[in-house]
Amino acid sequence: MFKIKIPAAALLSVALMGCEPLTASAPVTTVAAATPVATTTAAPIKASNSIKVQNVDVTMLFDGVALQPPAGQHVFMYNNTTYVPLRFMSYALQKSVSWDAKNLKVTVAEPSSSEMVVIKEYLMNATSSPSFAAKNITLNNVNASYVFSGSTKALPKGQSSYLLNGSIYVPLRFLSESAGNSISWNSKTKTITANSKNYEENTASAKPTDKGTSPSASATPAPAATPAAEPGGAAGGSGAAGTGSGKVSYESITSETEAKLNALKSQSTSTLFGIALEYVNATDAATKQSIKAKGIEQLASFKASFNSIIADAEQKLNTNGYSTAIIAQYRAAFEAELDNGRAAAEGLGK
């Protein structure tokens, strides 16, 4: 079976920094970086600064539908800015989102038909509201950049991105408005409302006129129907979908997943190996500390991408009715390689 292999030398930085093993947790993207970013200069990385906040209990309406983040994810306020999980928010806005772990770049775009199926499946499970429990949480700053439909947009001054348990948290208003949605806040009911232009136009046209209700009006227009399967399967696919139901084959899902994991492996190998060499060659404590901070942020970034790829695969397997046993194998193989790398690195110091 497929086995994820990361050279032990590249994991020297893991042992040097004393980080915990990568574990599966809440994902951040629909599809993580599918191919290595060849010869691309890494984005500037600043030392990781942590913040301590308390989650808040709010109601969120997206095109008239109440949605809540998955269990274990939060909404919080920091410096008068509301932050939400990136993947949850992007999906709620019905946008695809990808994460370039090496360059710390988020890309938000219109989803393909196959991505929309995944998004709608995700949103079906986001309508139930888990019981709220106030928690104090600590998040690390991530110096991420953002691209919306091909255009780079900078975060407003004083705002940032944060990482918690493999999930990226972003300013709600920045993400919503950059994706073309209006956003409003009702302080009395603690309700956040985000509406797309199509929803607002359709809602306005659905209002009764003097002559009665318009024949084309509907009570609450659905936010874009689930697209029917394209002939021959999804665009760019191998044709393995094969049936009129649009079902994707098990082999297609696992092959795509393994290609993404191998791409992530290439990124992590080159990046972590370079950081490890920098750390070993550093001669003063201040330089080592700076390199360590950079390494920790990159490790967290790769962790988020790994979790995202695995979560995306698991969701596709579930959607198409397949066993998800291979997901545990992916995770076990990945963490076994991390343990081997950590042990080898520790041996170098003896």
Side-chain angles (χ1 to χ4, degrees):
M1 64 160 275
F2 172 77
K3 189 172 184 180
I4 308 164
K5 295 181 179 179
I6 299 181
L11 293 172
L12 173 60
S13 55
V14 178
L16 290 171
M17 297 165 194
C19 291
E20 297 179 355
L22 299 184
T23 56
S25 57
V28 295
T29 65
T30 308
V31 180
T35 56
V37 184
T39 67
T40 301
T41 303
I45 301 173
K46 62 184 179 183
S48 180
N49 299 316
S50 63
I51 62 169
K52 294 183 178 181
V53 296
Q54 186 176 71
N55 59 341
V56 294
D57 187 13
V58 297
T59 299
M60 289 185 284
L61 298 176
F62 298 89
D63 283 357
V65 179
L67 300 173
Q68 288 294 325
Q73 297 185 22
H74 311 280
V75 178
F76 66 89
M77 294 190 70
Y78 182 67
N79 287 343
N80 295 319
T81 297
T82 302
Y83 287 82
V84 291
L86 171 64
R87 183 174 188 249
F88 163 76
M89 186 65 185
S90 298
Y91 279 17
L93 298 174
Q94 299 200 38
K95 304 294 183 183
S96 69
V97 58
S98 63
W99 170 247
D100 180 346
K102 182 176 182 180
N103 295 302
L104 306 179
K105 182 172 72 175
V106 173
T107 301
V108 178
E110 294 299 322
S112 65
S113 58
S114 59
E115 288 172 332
M116 182 58 80
V117 172
V118 175
I119 290 172
K120 286 187 174 293
E121 179 74 18
Y122 178 95
L123 294 178
M124 287 176 62
N125 298 317
T127 54
S128 59
S129 177
S131 57
F132 176 79
K135 291 184 178 179
N136 292 317
I137 54 179
T138 302
L139 305 96
N140 292 322
N141 181 285
V142 178
N143 192 25
S145 60
Y146 291 85
V147 176
F148 292 88
S149 300
S151 300
T152 300
K153 293 191 177 183
L155 284 166
K157 187 176 180 180
Q159 297 182 16
S160 187
S161 308
Y162 296 96
L163 184 67
L164 174 66
N165 295 332
S167 292
I168 299 290
Y169 287 78
V170 296
L172 181 147
R173 181 174 294 277
F174 165 74
L175 184 61
S176 182
E177 293 183 345
S178 296
N181 288 51
S182 65
I183 191 82
S184 63
W185 163 250
N186 186 320
S187 58
K188 292 184 178 179
T189 62
K190 294 185 178 180
T191 299
I192 296 167
T193 302
N195 292 329
S196 64
K197 291 181 180 178
N198 286 340
Y199 176 79
E200 291 180 340
E201 291 172 357
N202 290 336
T203 301
S205 66
K207 293 180 179 179
T209 63
D210 293 339
K211 297 181 180 181
T213 304
S214 169
S216 62
S218 58
T220 303
T226 302
E230 298 177 8
S238 62
T243 67
S245 64
K247 185 174 183 178
V248 183
S249 72
Y250 179 86
E251 291 74 16
S252 294
I253 296 172
T254 54
S255 295
E256 179 187 31
T257 300
E258 290 164 16
K260 292 173 186 176
L261 291 171
N262 279 322
L264 182 63
K265 179 198 71 174
S266 298
Q267 288 187 3
S268 61
T269 296
S270 59
T271 303
L272 295 180
F273 185 73
I275 293 173
L277 290 179
E278 285 184 58
Y279 188 92
V280 171
N281 293 326
T283 57
D284 61 277
T287 301
K288 283 182 177 289
Q289 184 62 29
S290 176
I291 296 171
K292 177 178 178 179
K294 179 172 69 173
I296 288 174
E297 187 163 1
Q298 284 286 263
L299 285 167
S301 176
F302 288 128
K303 171 184 175 179
S305 287
F306 171 77
N307 289 333
S308 171
I309 295 170
I310 295 303
D312 183 50
E314 186 170 20
Q315 192 161 31
K316 287 180 179 177
L317 290 170
N318 281 325
T319 299
N320 289 279
Y322 299 123
S323 167
T324 58
I326 196 170
I327 297 299
Q329 297 175 30
Y330 288 149
R331 289 171 177 159
F334 189 55
E335 293 186 10
E337 289 298 327
L338 285 178
D339 290 339
N340 292 337
R342 195 173 284 105
E346 290 172 354
L348 294 175
K350 295 181 179 178

